[in-house]
């Protein structure tokens, strides 16, 4: 039993293999948060709450003479705005009389076998015997507003999920102004918070700082989770390292605008809340209607970041990714974007495919430019009709020729967008989100389609499904190349315009769900100008995400390093591109580009038809090597061995098989020196008592992990290595 309820103490204890989470129904039904951390059995940790009369800390009215019970500093399970908790809150409701307050008190609970699902929203899944659900029902007795708090426990994976449903059980309308997915209170402020910020072509850089008094937040108003901040954060002990210390990871299973906020209060206690960004959000609730927040997923580890990351990686692989491609080996691909940009025709694509086939590459992906009048990024989005003049034939014919070479074929689409210069815009100008009377904000010369409208989603879906029905397409790259602004829907009343962001996500998720269920054989890779929508929500539909438009191997070291804290290598879209690199101008060895791309889904994105023989030989070997190591890379445990932010002159990582028999140890030397110091990297995850072969040498696991490996002196800039390490029988 993973969920315990003690009737005497009114304490709920949720247990996973290595963690526990506790809350208590206190006086008058106030739901207090008591604990999250190392696994404990049933007990009542409410004695840790300081009960004292504190100035300017009000008390619920029922307490009358007892001035020691205050929502102003008691830890809360789901903090309500307007009733005396002034900290970052979870729920803010404007009632029909204009007052802004909601006072949720405990009513009842239900425990169910299996993990809950959410209508229309992505959520973790588990086999019935692996998961359990707790639903806590709360009510505001003054207005009849109800609340259901959902907790999903996947015991064996140390996963606890949360979501909330707000139900108008009253007789008058109400407006939800803020509805967070999770709240986590700590009774101290001895915490760092780690988050991942960035920009287009430089996503998920790691930042670590102390939590501070007052509120500190990251988030996105862009309608996507964004390049700028990722909806995955870690709170940890300031001493926490890769290998030791308490840490709490929290992520949203949502791809739209979000907020993650910490607050250290006046008594040095810390709160973390996470959910939909409240800034552009309102939701009108008529009597009987409900609003469902997206899901948040939380994992605790007492053993540092590596263990936390491994738990998130397993959570993604076992409880989030779906469909055949979640487990099947994915093809090594060639994408024509950096090879040709818009400048291609059918013959050019065939030349690239022929060259690719010779090298062992298994799929050609035709990127932007094959549809409508799309020879640049000024036109054509929305016109999902094949440009047969450009291709010199039909798409079906092209796919057949590629299939004839023994290769799979995939295409790029950007279904959520519309160019002003498109037939779609000329027919349906109000399908584009634009605020009437304002010219609006244009980006990459395109507008965003109003996916909050079902008929818009259906219209685009019909066009794209028609192509998928006719042509043997086995892969789709689903892109999204601007941030949303101009939030306005031509069909929603003024009081509901604040609902667009969330309704948009429901429209997008419905389309994606239809796509994956109708075409389960298609491998979906999502993308938003690279990694602008790299989140657990998108991973529910697409097992891989193009990690960044930056294909520079050296900058990728940071991008991929940051990404691995929350996301598995099997989800990280990564390609070898040409040098000088198109984004940075940097020159790196071909082997180094492959070393970095192999810490991801692995593919190529350069003109293979113009390679010399030596380059062809190298690539052939790389493709073969990646296929041989596929299971180790994609199913093994991933270890970050040195940080791109540290002093070390090498960035190193390793993949270790679950049975510790095999390891692939990789890295890049990031700095050349004259008269160089020795660079030693310590391996992780091996069996200390086993003996391993590295090249010609044999070492004990202990020697490799506690002593380390001395790297050879680099002979050229950005030299990389990939060492196979195998246990000696
Ligand atoms: C985005 C993607 C690129 C490429 C272009 C095509 O920028 O991230 O990989 O597909 O769009 O326009």
């Amino acid at each position: 039993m993973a969920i315990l309820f003690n009737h005497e103490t009114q304490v709920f204890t949720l247990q996973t293999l290595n963690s526990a989470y506790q809350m208590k129904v206190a006086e008058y039904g106030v739901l207090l948060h008591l604990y999250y951390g190392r696994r404990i059995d049933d007990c009542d940790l409410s004695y840790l709450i300081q009960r004292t009369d504190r100035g300017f800390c009000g008390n619920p009215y029922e307490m009358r003479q007892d001035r020691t019970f205050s929502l102003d500093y008691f830890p809360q399970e789901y903090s309500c705005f307007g009733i005396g908790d002034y900290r970052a809150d979870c729920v803010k409701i404007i009632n029909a009389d204009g007052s802004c307050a909601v006072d949720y008190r405990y009513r009842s609970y239900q425990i169910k076998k299996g993990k809950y699902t959410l209508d229309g929203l992505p959520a973790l899944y588990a086999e019935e015997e692996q998961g359990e659900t707790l639903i806590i029902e709360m009510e505001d007795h003054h207005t009849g507003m109800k609340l259901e708090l959902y907790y999903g426990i996947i015991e064996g994976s140390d996963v606890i999920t949360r979501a909330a449903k707000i139900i108008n059980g009253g007789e008058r309308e109400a407006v939800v102004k803020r509805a967070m997915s999770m709240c986590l209170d700590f009774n101290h402020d001895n915490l760092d918070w780690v988050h991942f910020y960035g920009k287009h072509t430089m996503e998920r850089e790691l930042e670590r700082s102390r939590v501070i008094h007052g509120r500190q937040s990251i988030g996105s108003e862009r309608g996507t989770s964004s390049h700028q901040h990722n909806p995955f954060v870690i709170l940890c002990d300031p001493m926490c390292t890769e290998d030791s210390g308490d840490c709490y990871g929290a992520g949203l299973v949502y791809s739209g605008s979000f907020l993650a906020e910490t607050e250290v209060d006046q008594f040095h206690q810390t709160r973390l809340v996470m959910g939909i960004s409240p800034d552009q959000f309102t939701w009108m609730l008529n009597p009987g209607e409900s609003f469902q927040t997206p899901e948040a997923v939380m994992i605790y580890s007492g053993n540092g970041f590596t263990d936390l990351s491994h738990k998130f990686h397993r959570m993604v692989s076992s409880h989030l990714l779906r469909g055949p491609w979640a487990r099947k080996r994915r093809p090594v691909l060639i994408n024509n974007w950096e090879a040709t940009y818009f400048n291609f025709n059918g013959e050019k694509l065939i030349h690239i495919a022929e060259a690719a086939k010779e090298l062992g590459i298994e799929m050609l992906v035709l990127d932007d430019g094959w549809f409508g009048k799309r020879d640049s990024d000024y036109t054509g989005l929305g016109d999902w009709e094949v440009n047969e003049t450009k291709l010199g034939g039909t798409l079906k014919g092209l796919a057949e020729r590629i299939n004839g070479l023994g290769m799979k074929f995939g295409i790029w689409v950007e279904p959520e967008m519309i160019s002003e210069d498109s037939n779609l815009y000329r027919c349906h100008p109000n399908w584009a989100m634009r605020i009437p009377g304002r010219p609006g904000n244009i980006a990459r010369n395109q507008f965003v389609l109003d996916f909050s409208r079902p008929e818009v989603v259906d219209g685009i879906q019909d066009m794209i499904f028609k192509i998928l029905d006719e042509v043997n397409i086995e892969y789709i790259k689903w892109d999204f190349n601007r941030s949303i602004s101009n939030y306005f829907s031509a069909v929603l009343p003024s009081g509901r315009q604040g609902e667009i962001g969330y309704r948009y996500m429901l429209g997008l998720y419905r389309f994606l769900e239809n796509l994956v269920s109708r075409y389960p054989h298609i491998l979906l890779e999502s993308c938003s100008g690279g990694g602008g929508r790299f989140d657990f929500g998108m991973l529910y539909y697409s097992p891989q995400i193009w990690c960044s438009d930056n294909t520079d191997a050296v900058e990728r070291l940071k991008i991929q390093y940051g990404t691995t804290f929350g996301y598995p290598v099997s989800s990280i879209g990564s390609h070898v591109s040409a040098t000088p690199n198109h984004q940075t101008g940097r020159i790196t060895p071909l082997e180094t580009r492959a070393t970095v791309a192999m810490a991801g889904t692995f593919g190529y994105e350069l003109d293979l038809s113009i390679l010399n023989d030596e380059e062809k030989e190298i690539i052939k070997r790389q493709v073969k090597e990646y296929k041989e190591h596929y299971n180790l890379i994609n199913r093994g445990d991933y270890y970050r061995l040195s940080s791109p932010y540290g002093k070390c002159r090498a960035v190193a990582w390793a993949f270790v098989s679950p049975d510790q028999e095999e390891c692939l140890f990789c890295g890049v030397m990031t700095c050349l020196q004259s008269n160089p110091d020795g660079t030693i990297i310590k391996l992780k995850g091996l069996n200390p008592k086993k003996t391993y072969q590295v090249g010609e040498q044999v070492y004990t696991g202990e020697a490799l992990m506690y002593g380390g490996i001395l790297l050879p002196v680099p002979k050229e800039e950005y030299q990389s290595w990939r060492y196979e390490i195998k246990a000696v029988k």
Side-chain angles (χ1 to χ4, degrees):
M1 272 278 281
I3 301 172
L4 315 172
F5 180 60
N6 185 321
H7 287 270
E8 211 171 296
T9 58
Q10 298 282 294
V11 167
F12 291 94
T13 306
L14 319 183
Q15 294 176 322
T16 71
L17 201 56
N18 302 291
S19 72
Y21 185 97
Q22 201 177 76
M23 60 198 134
K24 178 183 174 94
V25 183
E27 291 94 319
Y28 301 101
V30 173
L31 190 62
L32 299 180
H33 174 76
L34 297 185
Y35 176 79
Y36 188 28
R38 218 167 265 276
R39 185 182 158 118
I40 52 171
D41 284 321
D42 175 36
C43 61
D44 180 358
L45 287 177
S46 62
Y47 67 87
L48 293 172
I49 299 173
Q50 182 70 266
R51 290 191 177 223
T52 186
D53 178 6
R54 286 171 154 163
F56 282 81
C57 292
N59 322 101
Y61 190 76
E62 303 94 313
M63 301 301 167
R64 302 289 168 89
Q65 302 302 322
D66 179 3
R67 298 180 3 176
T68 67
F69 187 107
S70 175
L71 300 178
D72 203 355
Y73 66 89
F74 275 23
Q76 313 261 340
E77 198 48 35
Y78 197 72
S79 162
C80 306
F81 182 87
I83 55 160
D85 181 3
Y86 299 91
R87 296 167 290 180
D89 52 286
C90 290
V91 55
K92 198 180 242 170
I93 290 175
I94 303 186
N95 302 299
D97 63 4
S99 63
C100 185
V102 63
D103 190 356
Y104 280 126
R105 301 292 177 95
Y106 175 82
R107 218 184 52 198
S108 54
Y109 76 93
Q110 297 175 50
I111 294 177
K112 296 184 175 172
K113 263 186 130 187
K115 181 184 171 287
Y116 65 84
T117 54
L118 298 178
D119 275 354
L121 287 168
L124 270 59
Y125 62 85
E127 301 289 329
E128 191 162 302
E129 58 285 359
Q130 294 175 327
E132 242 186 303
T133 298
L134 168 68
I135 304 172
I136 297 193
E137 289 140 343
M138 321 248 318
E139 186 168 356
D140 179 322
H141 303 298
H142 309 281
T143 58
M145 289 298 290
K146 294 186 168 63
L147 171 72
E148 289 176 359
L149 295 179
Y150 288 78
Y151 297 83
I153 289 91
I154 309 178
E155 192 177 358
S157 304
D158 283 328
V159 169
I160 299 181
T161 65
R162 295 193 56 176
K165 190 186 217 170
I166 296 163
I167 304 145
N168 188 346
E171 278 158 16
R172 302 173 71 188
E173 69 172 49
V175 176
V176 182
K177 289 275 296 163
R178 178 167 166 125
M180 292 289 120
S181 298
M182 63 164 283
C183 176
L184 192 55
D185 274 358
F186 296 84
N187 54 16
H188 61 87
D189 65 350
N190 190 30
L191 288 167
D192 279 357
W193 92 308
V194 181
H195 56 93
F196 302 88
Y197 71 95
K199 59 184 175 189
H200 177 229
T201 71
M202 201 63 211
E203 298 88 340
R204 288 171 297 288
E205 289 216 57
L206 180 146
E207 183 154 277
R208 177 174 182 165
S209 57
R210 275 306 275 261
V211 291
I212 53 167
H213 276 98
R215 295 185 194 182
Q216 209 175 348
S217 71
I218 57 131
S220 159
E221 295 304 326
R222 294 169 181 270
T224 56
S225 45
S226 87
H227 302 86
Q228 286 70 18
H229 294 287
N230 194 265
F232 170 75
V233 301
I234 302 172
L235 285 188
C236 63
D237 186 293
M239 306 293 280
C240 185
T241 65
E242 285 283 5
D243 309 307
S244 69
D246 281 340
C247 44
Y248 303 82
L252 279 181
V253 190
Y254 189 63
S255 318
S257 299
F258 77 98
L259 173 73
E261 192 168 37
T262 62
E263 178 166 3
V264 176
D265 72 12
Q266 53 187 329
F267 304 110
H268 299 97
Q269 308 181 105
T270 309
R271 171 172 293 172
L272 168 70
V273 295
M274 243 176 136
I276 293 178
S277 167
D279 282 358
Q280 313 231 22
F281 172 81
T282 55
W283 194 273
M284 194 181 292
L285 273 189
N286 288 317
E289 289 179 350
S290 63
F291 177 78
Q292 174 67 61
T293 75
E295 176 168 276
V297 47
M298 308 186 299
I299 298 181
Y300 159 80
S301 168
N303 305 314
F305 298 133
T306 301
D307 184 51
L308 186 75
S309 294
H310 287 173
K311 291 187 156 120
F312 270 95
H313 297 173
R314 286 183 205 127
M315 174 280 281
V316 170
S317 317
S318 309
H319 303 291
L320 191 61
L321 303 189
R322 300 176 302 158
W325 291 109
R327 320 254 179 269
K328 235 168 61 177
R329 184 174 79 72
R330 304 192 203 135
V332 175
L333 65 82
I334 169 73
N335 177 305
N336 76 307
W337 180 242
E338 286 198 19
T340 65
Y341 296 100
F342 291 104
N343 187 17
F344 60 84
N345 57 30
E347 283 318 303
K348 176 74 194 169
L349 297 169
I350 294 291
H351 288 318
I352 294 177
E354 282 166 348
K357 173 67 189 169
E358 222 189 287
L359 306 176
I361 294 172
E362 297 157 302
M363 177 162 74
L364 176 96
V365 174
L366 171 51
D367 210 283
D368 196 354
W370 55 267
F371 53 90
K373 196 180 93 194
R374 181 80 174 163
D375 287 323
S376 76
D377 60 14
Y378 280 83
T379 57
L381 289 173
D383 294 343
W384 298 107
E385 272 156 20
V386 180
N387 184 341
E388 296 184 357
T389 318
K390 183 168 182 177
L391 292 184
T394 62
L395 192 65
K396 190 170 190 297
L398 179 67
E400 279 167 3
R401 284 179 74 186
I402 302 228
N403 292 161
L405 295 171
M407 290 180 76
K408 294 180 188 297
F409 177 62
I411 55 166
W412 175 99
V413 291
E414 194 178 3
E416 299 156 78
M417 295 291 166
I418 182 165
S419 306
E420 254 183 325
D421 186 358
S422 65
N423 293 335
L424 188 72
Y425 191 87
R426 285 181 279 275
C427 278
H428 297 288
N430 82 4
W431 281 20
M433 272 202 259
R434 295 184 83 164
I435 301 174
R438 294 179 194 271
N441 180 2
I442 195 146
R444 210 190 189 208
N445 305 293
Q446 61 200 55
F447 286 102
V448 184
L449 283 166
D450 181 2
F451 263 34
S452 74
R453 292 168 63 176
E455 70 278 20
V456 175
V457 173
D458 293 345
I460 302 295
Q461 186 179 285
D462 287 350
M463 284 192 260
I464 290 181
F465 283 7
K466 186 162 175 272
I467 294 172
L468 300 181
D469 287 342
E470 277 167 13
V471 184
N472 185 23
I473 287 166
E474 297 181 79
Y475 162 105
I476 285 181
K477 176 173 170 190
W478 180 301
D479 213 338
F480 183 96
N481 275 318
R482 61 162 292 177
S483 302
I484 304 186
S485 49
N486 316 316
Y487 280 96
F488 189 85
S489 177
V491 297
L492 282 179
S494 58
R496 289 195 178 269
Q497 291 291 333
E499 300 178 7
I500 297 171
Y502 179 86
R503 286 183 185 275
Y504 182 100
M505 293 315 300
L506 293 183
L508 169 65
Y509 289 146
R510 180 168 68 83
F511 192 162
L512 289 168
E513 187 63 43
N514 292 344
L515 180 66
V516 299
S517 44
R518 183 169 162 141
Y519 308 100
H521 66 284
I522 291 184
L523 168 60
L524 197 57
E525 174 156 359
S526 69
C527 173
S528 170
R533 206 158 54 179
F534 205 117
D535 54 64
F536 296 131
M538 290 311 284
L539 284 176
Y540 185 68
Y541 306 96
S542 65
Q544 59 192 56
I545 301 178
W546 181 227
C547 182
S548 179
D549 272 352
N550 187 345
T551 57
D552 175 280
V554 175
E555 296 226 289
R556 275 266 179 160
L557 292 173
K558 276 190 181 162
I559 299 170
Q560 295 182 187
Y561 170 86
T563 307
T564 62
F565 277 78
Y567 305 95
V569 162
S570 71
S571 68
I572 299 178
S574 196
H575 299 165
V576 173
S577 60
T579 55
N581 178 267
H582 293 191
Q583 292 80 42
T584 62
R586 195 191 321 261
I587 296 181
T588 49
L590 182 51
E591 284 295 13
T592 298
R593 285 174 268 150
T595 302
V596 175
M598 280 190 201
T601 58
F602 198 62
Y604 289 81
E605 188 157 337
L606 73 174
D607 191 350
L608 296 172
S609 66
I610 54 169
L611 296 179
N612 63 34
D613 289 346
E614 191 194 342
E615 288 167 326
K616 280 188 191 158
E617 270 320 299
I618 295 176
I619 293 184
K620 213 185 237 177
R621 277 204 310 274
Q622 292 171 346
V623 173
K624 188 164 168 276
E625 188 184 328
Y626 182 75
K627 288 180 189 167
E628 280 165 11
H629 292 312
Y630 187 87
N631 279 337
L632 183 56
I633 292 173
N634 288 280
R635 316 228 195 290
D637 290 327
Y638 175 82
Y639 289 88
R640 293 174 293 265
L641 300 178
S642 66
S643 158
Y645 297 96
K647 282 200 193 137
C648 186
R649 286 170 301 281
V651 179
W653 60 92
F655 308 92
V656 180
S657 64
D659 60 7
Q660 299 173 307
E661 287 286 299
E662 262 186 286
C663 164
L664 183 66
F665 169 46
C666 310
V668 178
M669 303 297 296
T670 47
C671 158
L672 281 182
Q673 275 185 317
S674 93
N675 197 8
D677 309 339
T679 303
I680 293 171
I681 303 283
K682 294 180 181 173
L683 267 287
K684 290 183 182 174
L686 301 178
N687 183 333
K689 295 295 165 212
K690 282 189 178 167
T691 307
Y692 292 92
Q693 177 112 29
V694 190
E696 301 293 296
Q697 305 291 323
V698 170
Y699 305 88
T700 61
E702 285 172 343
L704 292 171
M705 292 198 293
Y706 312 148
I709 284 196
L710 176 63
L711 296 175
V713 175
K715 300 228 163 26
E716 62 174 336
E717 200 169 27
Y718 306 121
Q719 191 170 307
S720 75
W721 72 91
R722 301 190 294 274
Y723 292 161
E724 264 184 45
I725 300 185
K726 281 204 163 128
V728 180
K729 299 283 175 218

